[in-house]
Amino acid sequence: MEEKIIHLLKSRQLGFDPKKAEAEHNPRISRFIEHTLSYPEIWCFLFDWKHSPYPLIIVEPKDFVYEELKDELMQNTNQSFFIRNFAFSFSRQYQNLSDPRKIRQINQFLSKIFKEQILIARKEIVFLCLNCDRIVLTNKVEKVNNRKCNCGATYDFFFIPTQIPDEIFQEIINGHLLELFALRILKQVKNLQLVGMESNGKKVYTSIQYEGAGVGKNFNAEFDLLGVKGNILITVECKFNKTKYDDIEIFLKASDNLYYQIKEHIPELRIKKLIFSYDATNLSPIKDSYIISLREIESIKKLIKEITNFI
């Protein structure tokens, strides 16, 4: 039955977004997504960051107290114009996070993707000496560990300003990065077959257009992801926002349209809907739907288990 459902779905496929298809197979984006599986708290950070992008600052050593370090930097903003800007950038980096553990986890995430050359290093590094309250800016990045201040003490901290490359930045802004995250999650759900299209010998799964499933004036509909498990059609919507019902209403209607089209050929067909949202607190329970709120995810393993049980 699965193969018949997939065949009927494929017969209605019209195409996909070529830019999104390219992003789906971009090695740097794929490695970025892979790391988010170990650090789910990064989504809250990225949601805040996308509204006012700024350099991402990595702190070494990683065992630091953000509030104390922020206050230390802010007390020395008179040293130079750059130090003042740097201190303000660091002060707002975690301004919406109060959990010290999550802050250190995000710093660790940034450090890992920087070492894998996913983040782009800027030219400068900033050193902080707590012994004499000295902040030093240098363009020389070699031998940063155990580097000594003029007062003779070893610098207590150093900061590496970095930036997210353009291809990942665009994926964050347009929300496609969440689709790729959902794709990576659903590939780990046992017995779930994702429905894709071919592009230059590679499979594309995200943002595929389907004929006749549209709502209102739109004859066709785009689904972020589709899957099949047994006699169940799974439709997926991804919203990197504080989701309201209006944001997903078209998706819900399009899902039902596609479902009834296929059900004409397979009366035993059932449907279930997955909604990945940054913040779904404004959504009430929806029939045959499982709503995933990114800001509440504590464990990817647990999330996969919950999705498996739902479908």
Side-chain angles (χ1 to χ4, degrees):
M1 184 180 296
E2 284 182 349
E3 295 306 318
K4 186 176 180 181
I5 297 170
I6 291 172
H7 174 75
L8 289 168
L9 290 170
K10 284 182 172 290
S11 70
R12 287 163 171 76
Q13 290 177 336
L14 296 174
F16 50 82
D17 185 324
K19 289 185 178 180
K20 290 185 177 181
E22 183 180 347
E24 202 170 312
H25 295 283
N26 181 299
R28 179 181 266 177
I29 295 173
S30 295
R31 296 202 315 275
F32 185 93
I33 289 291
E34 187 65 34
H35 281 294
T36 67
L37 300 180
S38 301
Y39 298 90
E41 49 273 292
I42 194 63
W43 290 102
C44 292
F45 177 78
L46 290 176
F47 181 80
D48 290 331
W49 178 85
K50 76 169 185 170
H51 292 99
S52 57
Y54 46 81
L56 298 175
I57 299 168
I58 299 167
V59 183
E60 295 287 351
K62 299 179 182 65
D63 187 20
F64 65 95
V65 178
Y66 169 68
E67 290 296 332
E68 294 178 1
L69 204 50
K70 179 188 72 173
D71 290 345
E72 186 67 36
L73 290 172
M74 294 300 291
Q75 289 171 11
N76 291 278
T77 55
N78 60 342
Q79 291 192 22
S80 73
F81 175 78
F82 176 86
I83 295 300
R84 182 165 60 252
N85 283 348
F86 172 80
F88 280 116
S89 292
F90 185 71
S91 70
R92 67 175 180 168
Q93 179 157 311
Y94 300 113
Q95 62 184 349
N96 293 323
L97 285 173
S98 58
D99 186 341
R101 183 192 64 83
K102 287 187 177 181
I103 291 174
R104 287 193 290 269
Q105 286 286 91
I106 292 168
N107 185 70
Q108 189 173 8
F109 170 86
L110 296 175
S111 180
K112 281 191 175 183
I113 63 174
F114 173 69
K115 289 174 181 175
E116 287 194 18
Q117 299 182 333
I118 297 172
L119 290 181
I120 300 172
R122 299 182 66 166
K123 293 180 179 180
E124 64 277 354
I125 283 187
V126 175
F127 292 88
L128 171 63
C129 174
L130 297 179
N131 184 59
C132 65
D133 286 336
R134 180 179 172 83
I135 300 175
V136 175
L137 165 68
T138 177
N139 292 334
K140 297 179 180 179
V141 299
E142 61 274 4
K143 296 182 180 179
V144 293
N145 290 308
N146 299 318
R147 185 167 174 151
K148 291 189 179 294
C149 176
N150 288 347
C151 73
T154 301
Y155 284 113
D156 297 273
F157 295 98
F158 64 91
F159 306 82
I160 308 172
T162 69
Q163 63 188 59
I164 288 182
D166 288 344
E167 64 264 40
I168 297 177
F169 174 77
Q170 291 301 323
E171 294 296 290
I172 295 170
I173 297 302
N174 66 25
H176 187 234
L177 196 75
L178 181 52
E179 294 180 37
L180 298 179
F181 173 77
L183 173 61
R184 193 64 62 95
I185 294 294
L186 295 179
K187 280 184 174 181
Q188 299 181 57
V189 174
K190 189 175 181 180
N191 298 325
L192 174 63
Q193 291 197 58
L194 293 166
V195 183
M197 293 185 73
E198 293 286 335
S199 173
N200 298 321
K202 296 179 180 179
K203 280 279 191 180
V204 174
Y205 294 100
T206 60
S207 299
I208 295 177
Q209 290 268 342
Y210 286 82
E211 184 178 14
V215 178
K217 296 180 180 179
N218 296 317
F219 182 70
N220 306 316
E222 180 181 283
F223 291 93
D224 292 342
L225 291 160
L226 285 185
V228 176
K229 183 180 179 182
N231 68 330
I232 302 172
L233 168 65
I234 295 100
T235 60
V236 182
E237 177 77 345
C238 300
K239 290 293 183 185
F240 196 27
N241 63 8
K242 295 182 178 180
T243 311
K244 303 181 295 294
Y245 182 81
D246 290 350
D247 297 323
I248 59 170
E249 187 175 9
I250 289 177
F251 158 73
L252 296 173
K253 291 179 179 178
S255 296
D256 289 340
N257 290 345
L258 184 61
Y259 164 65
Y260 287 117
Q261 287 179 6
I262 306 300
K263 190 176 175 65
E264 288 181 4
H265 303 275
I266 305 175
E268 307 92 335
L269 185 70
R270 295 167 56 203
I271 185 170
K272 294 197 174 182
K273 301 155 190 169
L274 290 173
I275 299 164
F276 286 79
S277 163
Y278 163 69
D279 182 354
T281 54
N282 291 322
L283 290 179
S284 301
I286 300 168
K287 183 182 178 182
D288 297 323
S289 301
Y290 185 68
I291 302 169
I292 298 145
S293 190
L294 290 179
R295 59 181 302 173
E296 297 175 359
I297 294 176
E298 296 179 357
S299 163
I300 297 299
K301 186 177 180 180
K302 181 181 177 183
L303 174 61
I304 294 169
K305 183 178 179 180
E306 289 173 351
I307 293 174
T308 302
N309 292 337
F310 170 72
I311 62 176

